[in-house]
Amino acid sequence: MRVLIVEDDDAMASALLASVRSAGHEAARVGRGEDALLVHREHDAILLDLGLPDMDGLDVLRKLRQVTDVPLLILTARDDERSVVLGLRSGADDYLVKPVKLVELLARIEAVARRVARGGGAEPHRIDLGEVSIDLDRRAAAVGSRPLNLTATEYELLVLLGRHAGSVVTREQILDALWGDAFVASSRSLDVHLTGLRSKLMLPGFIINVRGVGYRVEGPAAGAGGRQAGGPSGGGPR
């Protein structure tokens, strides 16, 4: 992968460049948000610091998400809950707090690389789950005629649950599938993306919380092409 590192601290940037390259990826660095907006098209993934000298990193993130859907990981010293939630809801695929172990950072990058590889060359097909339809070829989802403006991770989460419709998907399975490691990945990131997905679906009871285990949606299996008649008949969601 060609990784763009957006980091204004020279020492941190040098360490990140060396680590990313040691893992076999190409890496380049810019120190300003405006520069990132100019060169992002040349890269397959972005590591973004939020404390940039020319503009706030969250503003950079929002501008990038208007023009690209490449995997983007925030790497910052901001560890307050508000920043984490804003970053993930603004379209970041993951959120890491400095100081971060370089082996963990590389694991997150590798997870992104696998996810990108899986997404390439998918044959046109869809998942229908009652009112919810997922076009896997166009990477688009809708509730009835209402398109869902999902982040990349929210979309991947919906697809994962949809592919296993009718069965429980554990939190560990979700973390492993979307972040590449059920034990390295951030459970807090999952909670934020799940909340965002539910709020955009506006379908209470569609994603059922199976307490202490994971989550389930009701509907036909992936690729069935039909529509689910009725909803879950068991206990209600929490």
Side-chain angles (χ1 to χ4, degrees):
M1 296 183 71
R2 299 168 298 174
V3 181
L4 175 64
I5 297 169
V6 188
E7 170 63 63
D8 65 318
D9 182 271
D10 292 337
M12 174 63 72
S14 296
L16 292 173
L17 285 168
S19 297
V20 171
R21 289 168 178 165
S22 71
H25 305 293
E26 298 179 25
R29 176 253 181 147
V30 295
R32 290 160 36 92
E34 290 185 0
D35 295 332
L37 296 175
L38 290 174
V39 303
H40 71 87
R41 295 175 187 83
E42 304 167 13
H43 300 86
D44 305 310
I46 300 172
L47 292 179
L48 175 65
D49 184 22
L50 297 184
L52 301 173
D54 60 330
M55 57 194 303
D56 188 88
L58 289 174
D59 291 332
V60 178
L61 169 59
R62 295 185 186 102
K63 291 178 181 296
L64 285 171
R65 278 296 176 244
Q66 293 177 21
V67 295
T68 181
D69 60 356
V70 299
L72 190 152
L73 296 81
I74 291 176
L75 180 59
T76 181
R78 298 183 193 174
D79 61 354
D80 60 286
E81 184 174 355
R82 181 176 182 274
S83 293
V84 174
V85 171
L86 281 175
L88 293 171
R89 287 186 175 173
S90 296
D93 295 283
D94 208 345
Y95 194 108
L96 296 85
V97 177
K98 299 176 183 175
V100 63
K101 294 180 180 179
L102 294 179
V103 65
E104 177 181 351
L105 174 62
L106 293 176
R108 303 286 185 100
I109 294 175
E110 293 295 337
V112 167
R114 289 194 295 271
R115 200 162 98 189
V116 171
R118 288 199 304 268
E123 295 182 1
H125 57 297
R126 59 187 288 129
I127 300 172
D128 288 297
L129 304 163
E131 298 178 69
V132 179
S133 61
I134 310 170
D135 188 324
L136 296 167
D137 183 46
R138 295 176 51 242
R139 291 183 60 85
V143 175
S145 60
R146 173 171 61 88
L148 296 174
N149 183 24
L150 303 178
T151 68
T153 304
E154 289 168 352
Y155 171 81
E156 295 288 352
L157 177 56
L158 179 60
V159 169
L160 178 62
L161 293 173
R163 288 188 189 279
H164 296 83
S167 301
V168 177
V169 184
T170 68
R171 289 181 67 88
E172 290 77 15
Q173 288 173 326
I174 296 172
L175 292 170
D176 184 71
L178 299 192
W179 283 275
D181 192 318
F183 305 100
V184 170
S186 170
S187 181
R188 182 165 59 169
S189 294
L190 170 57
D191 292 335
V192 173
H193 287 300
L194 184 64
T195 298
L197 175 58
R198 279 173 160 159
S199 68
K200 292 175 183 178
L201 286 167
M202 294 191 292
L203 294 173
F206 179 75
I207 299 177
I208 299 170
N209 179 15
V210 181
R211 186 183 296 276
V213 181
Y215 305 93
R216 183 183 78 245
V217 299
E218 296 294 338
R227 298 182 68 88
Q228 177 78 2
S233 57
R238 293 188 60 86

